[in-house]
Amino acid sequence: MADNGHGAQPRVWLETYGCQMNIADSQLVTAVLRRAGYAVAARPEEADVILLNTCAIREHAEERVLGRLGDLARLKHARPQVKLGLLGCMAQHNRAALIEKAPWLDLVAGPDTYRRLPELLGNSGFDPAVDVRLNRAETYGDISPEYESGVRAYVTAMRGCDKFCAFCVVPYVRGRERSVPPADIIREIRELASRGVKEVVLLGQTVNAYRCGDAGFGELLRMVAAVDGIERIRFTSPHPSDMSQRVIDAMASEPKVQPYLHLPVQSGSDRMLAAMERGYTTEEYLDLVARLRAAIPHLALSTDIIVGFHGEEDDDFRATVELMRTVGYDSAFTFKYSVREHTRAHRLGDTVSEAEKARRLNEVIALQEGISLERNRAIAGREFPVLVEGPARRGTGMLAGKTPQFKTAVFPARDGIAPGATVNVRVESATAHSLVCALA
Ligand code: 5AD
Ligand code: SF4
């Protein structure tokens, strides 16, 4: 059992950066450490172990973590016995540079080494304990992550990525694609349902590439839909090339699978899509969107867009703007291209200036704000079932939850309406990011 040197239970503080996969991984890490005798600290100042679970997707993400590491170094200076560790994608991405920049780190552990954390933390040598081996068999399927309470829970269905898009570091830091066995996923979800979770979000870097024996992602959706107590199923992120008819059919025929899809397009230029090695053309993507919309009524769509990729000319960018208008996404996550070491596009470097990237980014953000607002206003007067999550962030006496389309709805609280309930609301007014509703 772990011990903090004074015979008491050691306490760990864990901060999470980046995507939902990292949030899910942090819950796994917490479970691993609890099993080994650690407790969760209420504040970093009272922790014996401080861990940062990090993201390497863009340079900005790494800079944030390096800044935070600087703050924590001061804390460690005051209390040298505190162990400071870095987990996740950044640990995997740049361990050597990292240890050089932050020599006070005690631990550097990549995403496939979390089972070993108690052992790595037990290392009392002078050098940091480092384990960044990737393991194509590791799914952590047997470990139940520690869930925070709430009506929604994230469940890892697959790990890693085999797509190797030219701009993306994920396949290098998270390793090869592997799926969690269905039995493990279903056991996990049953447990969640018994604790009052109503909605599960299946996670994977290319979640619809899920495959375990005979079961593809469509089959997995149907198995999850058969779990009593689970009312809503979502998943993120699917890859357009893996959006098979079986998956579309499962979405269309299983009422629990919600009519919302995050379908990253990245660019509206075929030249850029080819350079990015995305594996589809705009025509194929638009055809997929049309088939999805035909099969799933009132489907909401969101996407990821990268502006300023290597070689992106004004014409390419205009094609992206055009595609965004054509599809009419409900929302979009937009990014300036960030050159990442190890990727295929790394050696090509940057051709678009920072100022031009910023200009293009601002344009797509403004465009999407307008489209989102228009789409949200267009549903004024309509009714939706909303899964209640809790008090709205703004507005006292208001509750918030999501519509099936994953839009945030706020509405007046009323006695007897508690988190986990589903209520019908009518949309009264809308902003680009939320719906103001009345109880229907
Ligand atoms: N630069 C900018 N954005 C990136 N993404 C992935 N890699 C990069 C990069 N090097 C974006 C993609 C992806 C999302 C998770 O992050 O749009 O879909
Ligand atoms: Fe990165 Fe492409 Fe894999 Fe998505 S599909 S994680 S963008 S390599």
Side-chain angles (χ1 to χ4, degrees):
M1 265 297 151
D3 166 317
N4 71 349
H6 308 287
Q9 200 180 18
R11 282 174 292 186
V12 57
W13 173 260
L14 172 57
E15 289 176 18
T16 308
Y17 296 81
C19 66
Q20 282 150 346
M21 294 284 306
N22 266 10
I23 297 174
D25 278 1
S26 285
Q27 293 171 337
L28 183 89
V29 165
T30 304
V32 168
L33 291 177
R34 272 206 199 272
R35 270 196 201 177
Y38 288 82
V40 171
R43 298 180 304 130
E45 290 75 14
E46 47 187 59
D48 301 289
V49 174
I50 299 177
L51 301 174
L52 306 186
N53 190 5
T54 62
C55 171
I57 196 101
R58 285 168 292 272
E59 196 177 347
H60 177 70
E62 294 201 340
E63 281 163 357
R64 263 186 76 202
V65 168
L66 288 173
R68 181 63 180 144
L69 265 184
D71 299 342
L72 293 173
R74 280 193 286 282
L75 214 146
K76 188 168 163 76
H77 191 72
R79 289 171 53 222
Q81 74 281 10
V82 173
K83 290 210 164 184
L84 194 55
L86 210 126
L87 314 180
C89 297
M90 237 175 116
Q92 196 73 38
H93 188 211
N94 268 330
R95 54 217 175 249
L98 209 78
I99 292 169
E100 206 174 284
K101 276 184 200 149
W104 58 87
L105 277 173
D106 299 287
L107 169 91
V108 177
D112 285 346
T113 66
Y114 297 152
R115 269 176 215 276
R116 285 195 64 217
L117 278 178
E119 185 190 332
L120 293 169
L121 284 168
N123 161 54
S124 52
F126 182 73
D127 289 325
V130 179
D131 192 346
V132 292
R133 285 171 299 180
L134 289 171
N135 175 354
R136 60 170 69 217
E138 181 60 277
T139 64
Y140 301 111
D142 58 313
I143 303 177
S144 293
E146 167 146 325
Y147 285 104
E148 283 155 25
S149 59
V151 300
R152 178 182 307 117
Y154 295 88
V155 175
T156 302
M158 54 89 70
R159 304 180 66 88
C161 179
D162 284 353
K163 293 282 189 290
F164 290 92
C165 300
F167 52 79
C168 186
V169 79
V170 165
Y172 305 91
V173 296
R174 284 191 165 268
R176 294 291 58 72
E177 203 174 280
R178 65 214 95 131
S179 296
V180 183
D184 288 327
I185 297 176
I186 298 302
R187 178 181 39 75
E188 189 68 56
I189 293 178
R190 286 212 182 105
E191 207 175 301
L192 289 168
S194 75
R195 291 202 233 157
V197 168
K198 303 282 186 227
E199 175 174 307
V200 289
V201 186
L202 300 172
L203 294 181
Q205 229 73 49
T206 51
V207 70
N208 54 341
Y210 181 90
R211 167 126 325 257
C212 193
D214 290 339
F217 192 63
E219 287 71 41
L220 181 67
L221 284 176
R222 292 184 196 277
M223 285 187 251
V224 176
V227 177
D228 286 340
I230 296 300
E231 296 172 8
R232 293 182 170 199
I233 302 166
R234 304 181 186 279
F235 55 92
T236 201
S237 286
H239 189 284
S241 305
D242 292 316
M243 206 66 208
S244 67
Q245 195 57 44
R246 292 168 93 89
V247 175
I248 300 176
D249 290 345
M251 287 188 78
S253 63
E254 286 294 345
K256 289 183 182 178
V257 181
Q258 299 296 294
Y260 165 67
L261 202 59
H262 179 67
L263 198 62
V265 70
Q266 313 298 357
S267 171
S269 152
D270 283 319
R271 210 173 64 85
M272 285 298 103
L273 289 177
M276 289 173 166
E277 301 181 57
R278 285 291 289 176
Y280 52 83
T281 62
T282 51
E283 194 186 336
E284 286 163 338
Y285 183 91
L286 291 173
D287 177 63
L288 173 62
V289 167
R291 283 188 291 126
L292 285 161
R293 283 183 164 157
I296 303 151
H298 308 301
L299 177 71
L301 286 173
S302 62
T303 199
D304 289 339
I305 300 280
I306 298 177
V307 300
F309 183 63
H310 170 90
E312 187 184 76
E313 302 285 347
D314 200 52
D315 282 355
D316 300 304
F317 175 65
R318 304 264 44 108
T320 297
V321 167
E322 206 39 52
L323 180 130
M324 290 174 75
R325 285 212 181 95
T326 305
V327 175
Y329 292 104
D330 292 272
S331 61
F333 299 87
T334 50
F335 310 104
K336 287 188 277 187
Y337 175 51
S338 170
V339 177
R340 305 277 61 208
E341 215 177 311
H342 309 307
T343 61
R344 291 183 183 168
H346 178 245
R347 64 183 170 81
L348 304 172
D350 252 339
T351 54
V352 182
S353 70
E354 193 53 33
E356 181 57 22
K357 281 184 194 171
R359 202 198 60 70
R360 291 179 189 177
L361 185 72
N362 287 336
E363 185 174 334
V364 286
I365 291 172
L367 169 68
Q368 188 54 49
E369 284 283 314
I371 297 172
S372 299
L373 183 63
E374 197 182 305
R375 290 186 70 81
N376 286 349
R377 282 193 177 153
I379 54 174
R382 285 213 358 231
E383 289 185 15
F384 295 96
V386 167
L387 176 59
V388 182
E389 290 175 30
R393 250 186 299 167
R394 263 176 300 178
T396 44
M398 301 291 276
L399 292 173
K402 298 282 193 220
T403 67
Q405 288 78 7
F406 209 58
K407 294 182 192 262
T408 301
V410 301
F411 53 93
R414 186 190 283 170
D415 277 353
I417 302 182
T422 295
V423 295
N424 280 323
V425 303
R426 187 177 338 94
V427 179
E428 305 227 292
S429 66
T431 68
H433 302 283
S434 62
L435 307 171
V436 181
C437 306
L439 287 164

